[in-house]
Amino acid sequence: MAARTMQAARCPTDELSLTNCAVVSEKDLQSGQHVTVKTTPNHKFVFTVKTHHTVSPGSIAFSLPQRKWAGLSIGQEVEVANYNFDKSKQCIGAMTIEIDFLQKKSTDSSPYDSDKMAAEFIQQFNNQAFSVTQQLVFSFCDKLFGLMVKDIEAMDASILRGETASGKKQKIDIGLMVGNSQVIFEKAESSSLTLVGKAKTKEARQTIINPEWNFEKMGIGGLDKEFSSIFRRAFASRVFPPDIVEQMGCKHVKGIMLFGPPGCGKTLMARQIGKMLNAREPKVVNGPEILNKYVGESEANIRKLFADAEEEQKRLGANSGLHIIIFDELDAICKQRGTGASSTGVHDTVVNQLLSKIDGVEQLNNILVIGMTNRPDLIDDALMRPGRFEVKMEISLPDEKGRVQILTIHTNKMRSFNLLAPDVDIKELAAETKNYSGAELEGLVRAAQSTAMNRHIKATSTVEVDMERAEKLQVTRSDFMGSLNNDIKPAFGTNQEDYSNYIMNGIIKWGDPVTHVLDDGELLIQQTKNSDRTPLVAVLLEGPPHCGKTALAAKIAEDSQFPFIKICSPEKMIGYSEIAKCQAIKKVFDDACKSQLSCVVVDDIERLLDYVPIGPRFSNLVLQALLVLLKRAPPKGRKLLIIGTTSRKDVLQEMEMLDAFSTTIHIPNISTGEQLVDALELLGSFTDKERANIAHQLKGKRVWIGIKKLLVLIEMSLQMDQEYRVTKFLSLLRDEGADRSFYE
């Protein structure tokens, strides 16, 4: 039809106003036709028409949302003309519609299925014209919704021709709704409407991972594996489109527990997780700060931490941003319930409050709680179950590759300003710093810097800096090596002073028995390093007193070159109660489990057990603790070599302790005159003539003396005048043997 002037009217029935059609008389137009309505010379609107007998000819009736959208008033004259769609370009491929309740008072919190909504929408409005910014009313589940068209994408013409899609997306202003159009609902910004299903919001979601994220810049080294594991468990579900996550019925991880030795980067890692995510600034809370002496205040402090997340979840639902709460020293507030001696039970109620906030009846889905502790054994079990702190990650001591990363991070600034000497080799330092934690490596760099600075300070009557030389300051390899040997020692490392005292006289190989013991020790070291079937190797060195068991154990430990070597010795536990002794022994074994390769020497076992033959008496508590610890395999991927020493094999046999050791090696005393002379030769204490005299006196005779006792006798004899030394030595040897009827 040619353009004609018609008069705008009110829609005759409520039912017709829900059809989104302009209503006309059947004398003017036919149902299903599309028309342009020109309101002013520059404003045209496209409508689909429907006929109704109550509309008088020459009138065109509009619903209230249509009149609002087109700016029409009742009785206004408009120019109406036919409109034909180009179906190759104007069919709707996808249409995004903003939705809200039509009347604010009719809101409800029940979820609406956007997939069913989309199907109903296409059914109701099939073959109708839609324009961007168009407003309409939509009835679904007996509720009225106000809609506004936000965006229209044309259908790919190749699909209409039955070919494969070309992937090109064309935005259009006016389109025709067809049966296979896609409708996407997006709730209005301030709406309390809850949408579920696949056809909801396809708004450009802000990526949760910060695009500028970089491990090196963040100052974390050696934790790549841990980061990727945390990412897989805690953030993969948050990066995926929410509709796919919803279809899988997948809940986000809400808690991560980081545990491990002090100084390995737990707090640093938690802070960096906050920087890595496009989330709000994390709330960092020190465990003890939560506690308050007034009743109910500690629990209120917990509630305050979660208040922002709760408020945002109520307001925005699934579109709420991520809130990160970091608890440092979590063991301070989340101890096992029922263990506190205090009558107030504050710890218990704090744990209860935290449990209900993370995963209670009104659970929050927009939080990530990160807890850190170096005592995971103290934390209440209920916190550790899935749904709460379900990702448990050990932040252990860095390996060599990790140490290279950490040292590189801490020396980067010096390198960029040319303050690091070219002879500093980071890889060499990493190889030398076995079992150093991240904090200890940082301390090492600081110590080397202060050593270098010290060279440029003139300490005369006043302390002043030599400015000329200070400008040429460089931190050298010798500064690092000096700090390594003198300043910074690893807490979980090898304390050389610990075992060097036991072998200060060296190992005197007076005969084959000593060589055999050292060879067996080497085999056990290789077995510990290389065997995957036996991550725990325990060996007992047994023999008479003073035969050098401890020295041999210390020598085997030193030769192993393991990064962690500790001697568990009775001399460090003098005056300890039974329980304190058990805890001290357990701590040595626990620390050993934190290192990749560890060696623990349990010296003088019968002394540790407080054994005395009168009675006999011994500590059963310590015995049971040792029996358990000697058999306890280290965690996966860790290896442990235990070397025990005892002079009372018979006692350990009765206590059923020998079974706890994989193998037993006997250390004999020096038993022949020839062996004794060989020992004297190796020690070089007497002259050749004196040794020949001693050899003559001992020829064919049997002796029985430990190497340690022999050293004492030699040193005692050497205090005499030269002419009496041999006589005195033989006399002392005879007296030593006389007590035991060994000297013949």
Side-chain angles (χ1 to χ4, degrees):
M1 96 178 175
R4 54 181 284 190
T5 304
M6 296 181 84
Q7 219 171 34
R10 190 177 277 112
C11 192
T13 67
D14 286 347
E15 204 176 314
L16 281 170
S17 67
L18 294 175
T19 59
N20 191 39
C21 290
V23 189
V24 291
S25 165
E26 48 200 23
K27 291 177 183 171
D28 291 329
L29 293 158
Q30 291 173 347
S31 275
Q33 272 185 284
H34 311 294
V35 295
T36 57
V37 175
K38 197 174 188 183
T39 55
T40 67
N42 300 324
H43 290 92
K44 278 186 191 173
F45 300 89
V46 176
F47 291 96
T48 304
V49 297
K50 211 176 184 64
T51 58
H52 196 262
H53 62 89
T54 57
V55 179
S56 52
S59 288
I60 181 163
F62 299 100
S63 66
L64 179 63
Q66 288 171 328
R67 296 203 302 274
K68 242 174 149 177
W69 172 53
L72 289 161
S73 53
I74 306 293
Q76 182 180 338
E77 289 194 341
V78 290
E79 201 175 288
V80 180
N82 259 355
Y83 183 86
N84 294 312
F85 278 98
D86 178 350
K87 292 201 175 177
S88 66
K89 292 178 184 170
Q90 285 187 292
C91 284
I92 295 174
M95 183 162 78
T96 307
I97 301 172
E98 192 175 271
I99 182 167
D100 195 2
F101 292 108
L102 187 64
Q103 293 167 314
K104 295 293 178 201
K105 64 183 180 203
S106 69
T107 59
D108 69 7
S109 56
S110 53
Y112 288 90
D113 189 328
S114 56
D115 300 320
K116 286 183 184 168
M117 218 178 238
E120 182 118 346
F121 184 92
I122 291 166
Q123 211 172 342
Q124 276 188 39
F125 304 115
N126 194 14
N127 224 24
Q128 278 198 28
F130 284 94
S131 308
V132 175
T133 72
Q134 183 171 343
Q135 295 176 17
L136 64 148
V137 177
F138 171 51
S139 172
F140 178 74
C141 291
D142 298 329
K143 273 264 192 261
L144 293 179
F145 296 93
L147 310 185
M148 197 262 280
V149 179
K150 277 185 83 173
D151 185 54
I152 302 175
E153 267 175 32
M155 194 170 283
D156 196 334
S158 47
I159 292 178
L160 297 169
R161 292 194 295 269
E163 299 164 12
T164 52
S166 64
K168 289 179 185 169
K169 288 184 178 176
Q170 183 77 41
K171 300 264 186 196
I172 50 174
D173 290 328
I174 301 168
L176 182 69
M177 175 67 64
V178 289
N180 57 348
S181 297
Q182 187 188 359
V183 177
I184 300 144
F185 288 102
E186 191 178 286
K187 71 171 188 169
E189 200 172 314
S190 58
S191 172
S192 58
L193 174 68
T194 309
L195 289 178
V196 294
K198 204 172 173 182
K200 70 168 196 247
T201 182
K202 272 217 176 173
E203 66 206 18
R205 284 179 59 83
Q206 186 186 25
T207 169
I208 193 167
I209 303 296
N210 195 331
E212 292 163 18
W213 170 252
N214 176 333
F215 282 122
E216 295 290 323
K217 277 188 197 162
M218 292 298 173
I220 293 184
L223 294 176
D224 301 9
K225 188 169 122 258
E226 286 84 351
F227 250 121
S228 59
S229 190
I230 286 177
F231 185 87
R232 175 178 65 84
R233 293 293 317 279
F235 302 122
S237 63
R238 296 180 191 273
V239 176
F240 249 71
D243 43 337
I244 296 175
V245 174
E246 204 169 272
Q247 286 165 25
M248 291 176 77
C250 171
K251 282 185 181 174
H252 299 310
V253 163
K254 287 183 279 187
I256 302 173
M257 174 71 70
L258 304 178
F259 65 93
C264 285
K266 297 184 293 294
T267 309
L268 178 65
M269 191 174 193
R271 284 179 186 281
Q272 304 310 12
I273 286 172
K275 288 183 187 172
M276 174 177 118
L277 303 174
N278 275 331
R280 282 153 195 71
E281 183 68 25
K283 291 180 182 171
V284 182
V285 192
N286 232 334
E289 289 173 9
I290 293 287
L291 302 175
N292 192 304
K293 66 179 180 178
Y294 295 110
V295 175
E297 281 298 312
S298 303
E299 296 88 315
N301 288 341
I302 294 273
R303 286 196 292 277
K304 277 177 204 160
L305 291 173
F306 291 87
D308 292 350
E310 275 181 340
E311 185 272 328
E312 193 169 320
Q313 176 146 317
K314 275 179 192 162
R315 198 160 41 85
L316 299 175
N319 293 338
S320 166
L322 179 64
H323 292 252
I324 299 174
I325 301 165
I326 297 170
F327 284 98
D328 205 355
E329 306 302 339
L330 187 67
D331 48 285
I333 56 167
C334 292
K335 286 191 176 78
Q336 292 276 357
R337 284 172 290 179
T339 55
S342 106
S343 57
T344 59
V346 167
H347 278 105
D348 293 6
T349 51
V350 169
V351 176
N352 294 342
Q353 184 68 73
L354 194 57
L355 291 173
S356 65
K357 282 294 171 200
I358 299 175
D359 190 28
V361 178
E362 292 181 10
Q363 59 179 20
L364 298 165
N365 209 26
N366 59 344
I367 53 162
L368 179 65
V369 184
I370 304 173
M372 287 163 292
T373 178
N374 39 32
R375 293 295 307 275
D377 50 308
L378 294 181
I379 289 173
D380 194 272
D381 296 340
L383 268 171
M384 306 301 274
R385 73 152 175 78
R388 287 164 185 162
F389 287 105
E390 70 178 86
V391 177
K392 291 175 270 297
M393 182 64 55
E394 183 177 6
I395 309 297
S396 54
L397 297 164
D399 57 9
E400 195 165 323
K401 186 180 160 204
R403 293 196 293 275
V404 169
Q405 286 181 358
I406 294 166
L407 286 164
T408 306
I409 287 163
H410 290 305
T411 55
N412 261 343
K413 202 160 190 180
M414 287 195 287
R415 197 177 288 107
S416 61
F417 288 102
N418 199 27
L419 293 172
L420 198 66
D423 65 349
V424 177
D425 181 0
I426 296 293
K427 286 186 178 168
E428 181 199 10
L429 284 174
E432 288 289 326
T433 49
K434 290 190 182 93
N435 273 25
Y436 275 66
S437 68
E440 285 159 350
L441 289 169
E442 188 183 356
L444 175 70
V445 174
R446 272 202 305 272
Q449 288 166 339
S450 60
T451 310
M453 288 175 191
N454 209 37
R455 285 201 301 274
H456 300 284
I457 294 173
K458 290 187 289 190
T460 49
S461 54
T462 58
V463 176
E464 55 187 63
V465 177
D466 184 345
M467 288 310 292
E468 286 179 28
R469 287 175 62 204
E471 288 182 10
K472 295 173 190 166
L473 170 75
Q474 276 201 323
V475 183
T476 64
R477 178 181 179 274
S478 60
D479 295 327
F480 275 102
M481 289 305 170
S483 303
L484 199 60
N485 296 326
N486 304 318
D487 297 326
I488 308 290
K489 298 284 182 197
F492 298 97
T494 305
N495 188 352
Q496 209 164 351
E497 294 152 16
D498 227 17
Y499 58 79
S500 55
N501 291 339
Y502 295 110
I503 42 177
M504 60 185 179
N505 295 311
I507 297 294
I508 297 125
K509 296 183 183 175
W510 48 261
D512 290 343
V514 181
T515 315
H516 291 327
V517 171
L518 291 173
D519 289 348
D520 286 349
E522 182 56 35
L523 283 176
L524 291 163
I525 291 165
Q526 294 309 320
Q527 181 187 345
T528 310
K529 274 185 185 171
N530 305 326
S531 169
D532 291 327
R533 292 184 176 178
T534 53
L536 172 68
V537 176
V539 57
L540 179 67
L541 305 185
E542 63 82 18
H546 312 306
C547 66
K549 299 179 295 296
T550 307
L552 284 165
K555 179 67 178 163
I556 293 167
E558 186 184 44
D559 289 349
S560 72
Q561 294 289 297
F562 284 3
F564 180 95
I565 299 172
K566 271 282 190 296
I567 295 189
C568 183
S569 164
E571 67 188 42
K572 293 177 186 164
M573 300 180 198
I574 296 169
Y576 277 28
S577 68
E578 283 186 295
I579 291 170
K581 199 181 273 192
C582 289
Q583 285 172 340
I585 297 168
K586 183 176 181 288
K587 186 177 187 310
V588 171
F589 278 84
D590 286 348
D591 288 354
C593 289
K594 290 170 183 167
S595 171
Q596 298 294 325
L597 281 170
S598 308
C599 177
V600 174
V601 177
V602 186
D603 190 27
D604 220 351
I605 293 174
E606 66 274 15
R607 282 289 68 73
L608 273 175
L609 295 174
D610 298 331
Y611 170 79
V612 281
I614 306 161
R617 289 167 55 191
F618 64 93
S619 164
N620 190 42
L621 262 180
V622 179
L623 171 66
Q624 298 307 327
L626 270 175
L627 284 171
V628 170
L629 292 168
L630 288 169
K631 290 179 181 176
R632 188 180 74 178
K636 195 177 177 189
R638 315 269 164 91
K639 309 283 187 73
L640 175 60
L641 171 63
I642 302 170
I643 306 170
T645 72
T646 181
S647 306
R648 296 299 304 263
K649 182 186 174 186
D650 54 326
V651 171
L652 299 196
Q653 176 78 59
E654 278 184 42
M655 292 177 178
E656 297 183 350
M657 197 184 230
L658 287 188
D659 299 338
F661 289 95
S662 327
T663 182
T664 305
I665 298 174
H666 177 66
I667 317 284
N669 269 344
I670 294 172
S671 57
T672 67
E674 287 74 20
Q675 286 175 340
L676 194 141
V677 173
D678 287 345
L680 292 178
E681 197 173 325
L682 288 165
L683 287 163
S685 307
F686 293 107
T687 63
D688 292 350
K689 191 178 172 188
E690 286 170 331
R691 276 204 305 278
N693 188 0
I694 293 168
H696 177 69
Q697 296 280 346
L698 295 177
K699 193 170 183 185
K701 297 217 172 166
R702 201 177 124 69
V703 295
W704 189 254
I705 188 165
I707 187 74
K708 195 172 168 187
K709 184 56 80 80
L710 180 64
L711 279 168
V712 174
L713 299 188
I714 291 168
E715 290 304 310
M716 199 169 160
S717 309
L718 291 177
Q719 309 313 310
M720 303 285 290
D721 292 338
Q722 195 153 2
E723 58 197 277
Y724 302 116
R725 290 200 313 202
V726 174
T727 316
K728 183 64 181 170
F729 174 68
L730 291 168
S731 162
L732 288 168
L733 198 60
R734 192 175 292 112
D735 292 345
E736 184 66 27
D739 290 348
R740 298 168 178 77
S741 310
F742 283 131
Y743 182 77
E744 294 168 358

